[in-house]
Amino acid sequence: MIRSARLFFASPVLILVALLGLEGALTVCDDLVFTTAATQLSFWGRESYQPTVQTIDLTGQQLESLLQRSPSKPNYLVEQAYFLSWKGYASDDVAQRLAYNKSAASTQLQALTQRPAYRQGWAEMIEYSSRMSGGGEMLEQAQARFVALQPAAN
């Protein structure tokens, strides 16, 4: 009787531990995928490195899968914005370039709603919004936030 009572109380705890372990494993996997994509993006356009079409597609897929699991995680959104900006930069089609730049600015703005005091994010926003058609208001907002977040001179 005592053994079955222990098992009755231990079972929910064991299930909870297993679920927490699974969640931790998924987080580690997401972090590895994110690090891979972010590292790959950091090399694009540096010196003579140009990613292959397969690398571009894989990086896009990695970012999409991360955003499906955590759609409002700022780090994922920032990398997605950089990815879209890069695709716009690499595109030969002007309409496609403008569409990518608009998407990059929109994604960056979504990331900045999660961490509005991130000055580097506003610097990126200035860059993205300056490259999009009709982004004057967004550019002014980004410039104002960037200046407002200027560290005080000592």
Side-chain angles (χ1 to χ4, degrees):
M1 183 71 165
I2 294 175
R3 184 176 184 156
S4 63
R6 285 184 190 164
L7 186 60
F8 177 75
F9 290 112
S11 294
V13 172
L14 291 174
I15 291 170
L16 181 61
V17 167
L19 289 174
L20 290 173
L22 178 62
E23 184 63 30
L26 290 173
T27 300
V28 168
C29 288
D30 285 351
D31 286 347
L32 291 173
V33 170
F34 172 74
T35 302
T36 301
T39 301
Q40 183 57 238
L41 281 168
S42 73
F43 286 106
W44 290 12
R46 306 270 184 206
E47 297 181 17
S48 62
Y49 178 75
Q50 292 298 318
T52 64
V53 172
Q54 293 85 2
T55 300
I56 294 169
D57 291 343
L58 177 62
T59 303
Q61 291 169 1
Q62 289 170 331
L63 291 169
E64 284 298 321
S65 72
L66 290 169
L67 286 168
Q68 284 177 357
R69 182 160 159 73
S70 302
S72 62
K73 190 163 185 174
N75 290 346
Y76 298 170
L77 290 166
V78 166
E79 290 303 320
Q80 177 74 357
Y82 183 73
F83 174 77
L84 293 167
S85 175
W86 192 90
K87 286 195 69 151
Y89 172 78
S91 177
D92 293 328
D93 181 347
V94 174
Q96 192 176 44
R97 179 177 288 186
L98 291 173
Y100 279 128
N101 288 338
K102 185 175 182 177
S103 293
S106 174
T107 303
Q108 183 71 16
L109 187 59
Q110 192 178 355
L112 287 168
T113 61
Q114 300 295 317
R115 48 183 188 192
Y118 183 54
R119 190 165 190 264
Q120 179 62 35
W122 288 107
E124 293 294 328
M125 189 65 190
I126 291 169
E127 185 178 331
Y128 299 154
S129 58
S130 69
R131 286 191 249 144
M132 63 181 263
S133 177
E137 184 179 324
M138 194 178 285
L139 176 60
E140 288 176 14
Q141 177 192 7
Q143 289 171 331
R145 284 295 294 158
F146 183 78
V147 169
L149 293 170
Q150 177 71 28
N154 289 331

